Amino acid sequence: MTTDRAGTSCHACNQLQMDMSLSSPATLKSVADAAGVHLSTASRALDPARRHLIGPDVLQRVETAARELGYRRDMMAAALRTRRTRLVGLAVPDIANPVFAPIIAGLSAHLADAGYSTIVADVGADRARQKRLTDDLIARRVDGLVLATALLEDGAVAALLQASLPLVLVNRVAAGLAVPAVTSDDRLGMRLAVAHLIALGHSRIAHLAGPQQISTGRQRQEGFFAAMTAAGLDVDATSAVAATDYSVQGGEAAARKLLAAHVRPTALAAANDLLAIGALRVLRAEGLTSPGDMSVTGFNDMPLVDMINPPLTTIRIRGNEIGREAAALLLQRIASPGAAPVQRVILPDLIVRGSTAPPRD
Amino acid sequence: MTTDRAGTSCHACNQLQMDMSLSSPATLKSVADAAGVHLSTASRALDPARRHLIGPDVLQRVETAARELGYRRDMMAAALRTRRTRLVGLAVPDIANPVFAPIIAGLSAHLADAGYSTIVADVGADRARQKRLTDDLIARRVDGLVLATALLEDGAVAALLQASLPLVLVNRVAAGLAVPAVTSDDRLGMRLAVAHLIALGHSRIAHLAGPQQISTGRQRQEGFFAAMTAAGLDVDATSAVAATDYSVQGGEAAARKLLAAHVRPTALAAANDLLAIGALRVLRAEGLTSPGDMSVTGFNDMPLVDMINPPLTTIRIRGNEIGREAAALLLQRIASPGAAPVQRVILPDLIVRGSTAPPRD
DNA sequence: CTGAAAGCGCTTACAG
DNA sequence: CTGAAAGCGCTTACAG
């Protein structure tokens, strides 16, 4: 620091010290000793919110020492003291499902900006495994929990709610529980899709429904029936077949049942892109084409569905926004746990592509 | 516990206690007090590895108390004492890129089985942001770090390596650094793709290369040239054009340059599925078809590329296996930090679909 | 403005 | 087999 040359060589030496210090991280005590102050003083000097209490010369000495030793506060030790880990747990049913990627990205970006890290738990569909992994998150004393796994009737969510741990549901809601949630407007989305098909001239429209124990499946189905009856169109028990899960295979199985109907529909509104793709596969296997023989709509606007054959008309949900909003709600929840829980609904958009067209006849 | 009825009502009451305890979690001390033992005894009784030291009656009392109070060990407090957080950090450049989903899933599943939780940091491509978020992970005292962000020349990796923090690279390697890594065999994969094109009768084959500062981009390009020269085919400076990043847009830009060549190639081997899709888009925009006017191959076998038009011939990397292997390597590294670093290469497969065919002439 | 002390919840030698 | 004590790294009233 005395001359340029000394400054340069000192920089190199600081680098070395930083590297070495990582092997056995510097503690507040070692920084305080190096600066010749008490560790409580060092603690204050290194806290942006409290450094104004410190004299300029002491501040300088502590900062230099911290830099030279490569000090990094142990967030977990601090957490023990402050009772806040700044850790958030996110439970997703299947991290490989492309629907969740933008939600995870939006959520963790917003949380990171607020100084929180996100532990993503890929908890699967098995309830016991879900509970075990969620309990792990709690054992890590996360400051809050975001669940993308909720069922309509969900005892686990009810239990978590009792525990007064800040909790937010994302993408799916639970019925009859006062818990903050951020979802897409599933009813509206499906109504948009069906209205589009009706506008094209379709009247025999079937619904390839999602699992009915999940809010997305249930509400999209409600949207389907609402749109049909509002247009004065026929619906009966065979108009909708529910898939057992949101997967291409699930879509194939359900689509086969729909195709077996005595009067084949001219259009199919699926509750999800993967289901729609399953339906397209079945059509192709049966020697039928889309949109020629049957128009098909999806839901979610997953990556690449614009590139499939035919390009899928679908409902775009704003995953990133949903994730960010969930993060905001959770932060709010952490700040004031007593406040009334709010539920936010993000509006989806209809994206028209090649898989829908007027009916042939 | 004295009568069935008492047992029943006690169950309900335990439930209540469990719920209440979560709001202000039971501590080891409260469990010990309830069981009438010292907290060190309770600690041992609750540790599977040490409970054999405890007398059966005391063990029973502690377990009952723990259950009734809904006790869950504070993993972070334990971490402070044991110097092991059982937390692993994973840095990915873009969590929304579908390539990473199976890797993340495989990694976190294997780690979860070993009692570790994974913090996924979506660090982006900006080096400063990457450093900041990686430093955050270190400040959380993760037991190890997995990086999916390595560049060929990577000062950050070198620095981390010095820090003697268990470190594993996944998907991409850094040049000249003795660091454990798990990747797909990128050279082999591209050779497979090119050999397939040659077998179909192509000889004017171009390479839509990935970013050359990333090992996947470099090695796939090397594989391309190796396969071409091995077959005695012409390559020159215009045979390969590198995209600036792995994206559809990047693929479009690079594909346009390739199409501008004086003699148009009959086949295009892309370094990545997204690049291949970009190329397909450009072909379509130019009024050309695939595979008719040009065969195209991708790399990765992302979800849905089997459904696009034309279905993409590609190289399948085993993402889940790569993730699991990376987890295994990291666990090994944590257990014995001194051992020589090993690099594992997972073999990819050629998946032939509709985007490749013999050349027209 | 700075220091001394208590304590967050746990584990682990050390005694007995 | 169980207890008493120290200490992991930090923050925060409480003094001065």
Side-chain angles (χ1 to χ4, degrees), chain A residues 103-187:
Chain A
I103 296 179
I104 298 174
L107 182 94
S108 66
H110 193 127
L111 288 174
D113 288 347
Y116 285 78
S117 295
T118 308
I119 301 183
V120 181
D122 189 17
V123 300
D126 176 63
R127 297 304 275 180
R129 182 159 194 271
Q130 285 187 355
K131 175 158 173 36
R132 195 163 50 74
L133 289 173
T134 308
D135 281 353
D136 271 6
L137 257 17
I138 295 173
R140 294 208 177 267
R141 299 300 186 261
V142 292
D143 290 340
L145 221 41
V146 179
L147 263 36
T149 52
L151 300 183
L152 236 16
E153 302 299 329
D154 202 316
V157 170
L160 250 18
L161 206 53
Q162 295 255 29
S164 84
L165 178 70
L167 181 70
V168 170
L169 266 28
V170 71
N171 200 40
R172 309 170 171 183
V173 296
L177 255 28
V179 49
V182 184
T183 58
S184 203
D185 191 329
D186 291 312
R187 237 182 241 104

Side-chain angles (χ1 to χ4, degrees), chain A residues 6-27:
Chain A
T8 304
S9 71
C10 186
H11 177 72
C13 122
N14 288 351
Q15 287 286 99
L16 184 62
Q17 285 174 327
M18 283 183 64
D19 291 343
M20 288 175 59
S21 71
L22 282 169
S23 68
S24 170
T27 67

Side-chain angles (χ1 to χ4, degrees), chain A residues 85-86 117 140 281 306, chain B residues 85-86 117 140 281 306:
Chain A
T85 55
R86 296 195 162 270
S117 295
R140 294 208 177 267
R281 284 213 167 138
D306 57 326
Chain B
T85 55
R86 296 195 162 271
S117 295
R140 294 208 178 266
R281 284 210 168 141
D306 57 325

Side-chain angles (χ1 to χ4, degrees), chain B residues 212-231:
Chain B
Q212 293 298 297
Q213 72 274 26
I214 298 175
S215 68
T216 54
R218 188 79 67 87
Q219 295 187 0
R220 288 168 198 176
Q221 172 157 303
E222 287 173 8
F224 169 79
F225 284 120
M228 292 294 279
T229 55

Side-chain angles (χ1 to χ4, degrees), chain B residues 32 42 64 69 80 85 89 100 102 105 110 115 161 190 196 203 210 215 225 231 233 259 301 305 352-353:
Chain B
T64 303
L69 292 172
L80 185 58
T85 55
F100 294 113
H110 192 128
L161 206 54
M190 187 51 70
H196 164 65
S203 56
S215 68
F225 284 120
L233 292 177
L259 284 187
D301 196 29
V305 294
V352 177
R353 300 202 182 97

Side-chain angles (χ1 to χ4, degrees), chain A residues 138-141, chain B residues 26 43 46-48 71-76 78:
Chain A
I138 295 173
R140 294 208 177 267
R141 299 300 186 261
Chain B
S43 176
L46 263 17
D47 178 356
Y71 173 73
R72 301 199 58 80
R73 173 173 53 215
D74 183 330
M75 295 181 68
M76 293 318 178

